[in-house]
Amino acid sequence: KNQVEQSPQSLIILEGKNCTLQCNYTVSPFSNLRWYKQDTGRGPVSLTIMTFSENTKSNGRYTATLDADTKQSSLHITASQLSDSASYICVVRSDSHNNDMRFGAGTRLTVKP
Amino acid sequence: DTEVTQTPKHLVMGMTNKKSLKCEQHMGHRAMYWYKQKAKKPPELMFVYSYEKLSINESVPSRFSPECPNSSLLNLHLHALQPEDSALYLCASSQERKGVGGLNTEAFFGQGTRLTVV
């Protein structure tokens, strides 16, 4: 079973609308969680990083939340733009000495005009 | 410099060829990763090097052989690959920095090498 589960698998929204992506994880011990944006055929680009003591963090139109008790995170995108169309991947780092980073399956977001 | 540079960008190789993928970073990161990504799937962890030592091998077939000659370089040697090994191969590096709430991992990815095995 994957240690990082994301939902929905795909999402289509109209330009200008808001959306929220979900990430649940079982990675333990937990160190931090990152949201990445990945365009097709390109490497992932980091949007936010959160440690266990951080509940919310914003980066422009992106706002991430983290509930370390329930092991859930969300990524909220406001006023979506066509360029937001991409895969959004949740990556959880375990607090171990082997530098393990685990990926969720991603949410494929399509923003339509 | 916050870049992870991967070469080549594209590679086509036959099943009997030997080739190498290269990854370079000059951010002083001491953890480096190889991931394999098939179309419409998330990256799958292959190998992790911590301080130039192999710390994770996700049961990757021996036709993939990683090498970390120094703290800035990570190679992936390829030999006798199969067509199903065709994928985007991503390299990443990370460094932990202690923050208020815990460890902030700065992790950066390269743009990947698109590998096609024919």
Side-chain angles (χ1 to χ4, degrees):
Chain A
K1 185 180 185 298
N2 195 7
Q3 297 181 55
V4 182
E5 300 281 349
Q6 289 188 243
S7 62
Q9 189 175 27
S10 62
L11 184 62
I12 301 174
I13 61 174
L14 293 176
E15 186 179 11
K17 298 296 185 182
N18 304 336
C19 66
T20 300
L21 316 179
Q22 299 290 341
C23 174
N24 298 337
Y25 62 91
T26 58
V27 174
S28 182
F30 171 82
S31 177
N32 57 59
L33 182 149
R34 297 183 83 102
W35 282 94
Y36 284 88
K37 176 184 178 185
Q38 185 177 24
D39 294 308
T40 302
R42 310 279 287 179
V45 175
S46 178
L47 297 175
T48 66
I49 178 173
M50 304 184 74
T51 59
F52 69 89
S53 66
E54 296 173 295
N55 300 119
T56 184
K57 184 173 281 189
S58 292
N59 176 8
R61 294 181 296 103
Y62 302 103
T63 299
T65 65
L66 174 66
D67 185 333
D69 292 329
T70 62
K71 298 186 177 181
Q72 296 179 325
S73 175
S74 66
L75 180 69
H76 186 73
I77 305 174
T78 58
S80 61
Q81 301 175 358
L82 298 178
S83 58
D84 291 334
S85 295
S87 288
Y88 291 82
I89 304 175
C90 175
V91 181
V92 182
R93 164 78 158 82
S94 69
D95 190 15
S96 61
H97 294 296
N98 59 12
N99 283 302
D100 197 357
M101 288 200 297
R102 296 290 167 168
F103 283 68
T107 293
R108 177 68 202 176
L109 175 65
T110 303
V111 180
K112 293 195 170 184
Chain B
D1 181 7
T2 57
E3 280 194 1
V4 175
T5 304
Q6 288 188 243
T7 55
K9 287 185 170 54
H10 301 275
L11 178 62
V12 179
M13 60 184 291
M15 290 187 283
T16 59
N17 291 157
K18 283 185 179 180
K19 297 286 184 184
S20 296
L21 309 185
K22 296 186 184 301
C23 175
E24 190 169 2
Q25 57 88 13
H26 296 287
M27 295 176 278
H29 291 178
R30 302 310 294 272
M32 296 187 76
Y33 308 75
W34 279 115
Y35 288 87
K36 174 184 176 181
Q37 187 175 26
K38 302 285 276 185
K40 298 183 180 181
K41 297 287 187 183
E44 296 176 6
L45 183 64
M46 299 175 72
F47 303 104
V48 181
Y49 272 83
S50 294
Y51 291 86
E52 295 89 69
K53 291 190 188 328
L54 185 64
S55 61
I56 295 180
N57 177 341
E58 288 289 293
S59 301
V60 179
S62 60
R63 56 185 185 271
F64 296 92
S65 175
E67 178 197 19
C68 190
N70 60 56
S71 59
S72 299
L73 292 174
L74 184 66
N75 299 321
L76 186 63
H77 302 298
L78 314 172
H79 174 55
L81 294 194
Q82 302 296 311
E84 58 264 28
D85 295 323
S86 298
L88 180 69
Y89 287 84
L90 292 164
C91 173
S93 70
S94 72
Q95 183 75 349
E96 293 177 345
R97 304 186 191 286
K98 286 197 181 293
V100 173
L103 293 176
N104 286 311
T105 303
E106 291 192 11
F108 295 90
F109 284 81
Q111 291 302 306
T113 293
R114 173 67 62 189
L115 174 67
T116 303
V117 182
V118 297

